[in-house]
Amino acid sequence: QAKFEDDVTSISCGCQQFSDTTMFYVRDSRDDGKVGLFPEILFENLILSASLSLIRVMAKGCFYRGAMVYGTGWELDEDCLFGPVVQEAYRIEENDARWPRIVIAEEMKDRLQQMSRGVVSKACPAKMICADPDGKFSLDFWSGGAVDNYLRLVSSTELLKLAEEGYNQAVNQQKRFAE
């Protein structure tokens, strides 16, 4: 029982903002360096939150690029993350995510696939990743598993409205993102 409680309390999410950047992160190890029991639950929630956020802001005509990475970082203070993982997220967002999408770093994709072995649910985070025409992997925020999970959070009417508004905004802004 004590080990289970240690693992559960070691799970945490953080949010850090600087300049025009907002960074959400999940810590998947305890202070002693051992991996907690349920990081996949947090990864799934992080992916769903990022996806739904992207859909909501697109419906308002605001588009953003992002990156999801897996790596080493240090919390110097609550909600104050530094280290190679932050640099990698910035590099991918700046260089690889040339249009509104959330690019998934290779290490993150591998981690999600590793956690998903044997999982057949459409809601599995690894099933919410797609390969884009440029060879990068990104968050497939309209996959069946994603939509099923959104419907746990918003009504089907609201989701349909967001989709329609987001599509219309994207069509209106498509020249901005053409290469």
Side-chain angles (χ1 to χ4, degrees):
Q1 181 68 25
K3 179 177 180 354
F4 175 80
E5 288 174 3
D6 287 345
D7 284 332
V8 170
T9 58
S10 71
I11 300 170
S12 66
C13 290
C15 176
Q16 180 177 339
Q17 188 165 11
F18 48 91
S19 183
D20 64 346
T21 301
T22 302
M23 181 172 53
F24 300 95
Y25 59 94
V26 175
R27 180 170 50 107
D28 81 339
S29 65
R30 303 183 323 209
D31 290 337
D32 62 6
K34 296 180 182 172
V35 175
L37 287 177
F38 305 111
E40 57 274 0
I41 294 168
L42 288 175
F43 282 130
E44 180 179 323
N45 288 337
L46 186 67
I47 287 170
L48 289 172
S49 297
S51 298
L52 195 53
S53 169
L54 187 63
I55 291 167
R56 286 181 188 273
V57 299
M58 283 175 65
K60 300 291 183 194
C62 181
F63 299 87
Y64 68 84
R65 305 172 316 199
M68 285 194 158
V69 300
Y70 182 81
T72 302
W74 298 273
E75 284 182 295
L76 299 181
D77 204 355
E78 186 175 335
D79 296 333
C80 186
L81 183 70
F82 288 91
V85 71
V86 177
Q87 293 170 328
E88 182 66 0
Y90 177 79
R91 185 194 65 73
I92 290 172
E93 183 273 332
E94 189 71 18
N95 299 325
D96 297 342
R98 295 185 313 261
W99 59 83
R101 63 180 172 164
I102 299 172
V103 174
I104 308 293
E106 191 69 32
E107 297 83 13
M108 182 68 168
K109 180 183 71 72
D110 293 345
R111 178 71 173 157
L112 292 172
Q113 288 174 334
Q114 177 187 11
M115 289 187 312
S116 302
R117 287 200 179 108
V119 176
V120 294
S121 165
K122 286 194 306 184
C124 171
K127 294 180 181 177
M128 294 171 58
I129 298 172
C130 65
D132 285 336
D134 65 352
K136 306 293 182 205
F137 291 93
S138 70
L139 197 54
D140 183 1
F141 54 91
W142 285 120
S143 69
V147 171
D148 289 347
N149 278 297
Y150 302 151
L151 293 174
R152 293 185 330 202
L153 306 171
V154 298
S155 71
S156 58
T157 304
E158 181 183 357
L159 186 59
L160 185 59
K161 181 180 175 194
L162 288 169
E164 184 177 345
E165 290 172 356
Y167 175 79
N168 290 334
Q169 291 288 345
V171 167
N172 291 335
Q173 297 291 325
Q174 68 184 348
K175 290 180 183 173
R176 284 181 51 202
F177 305 111
E179 292 189 310

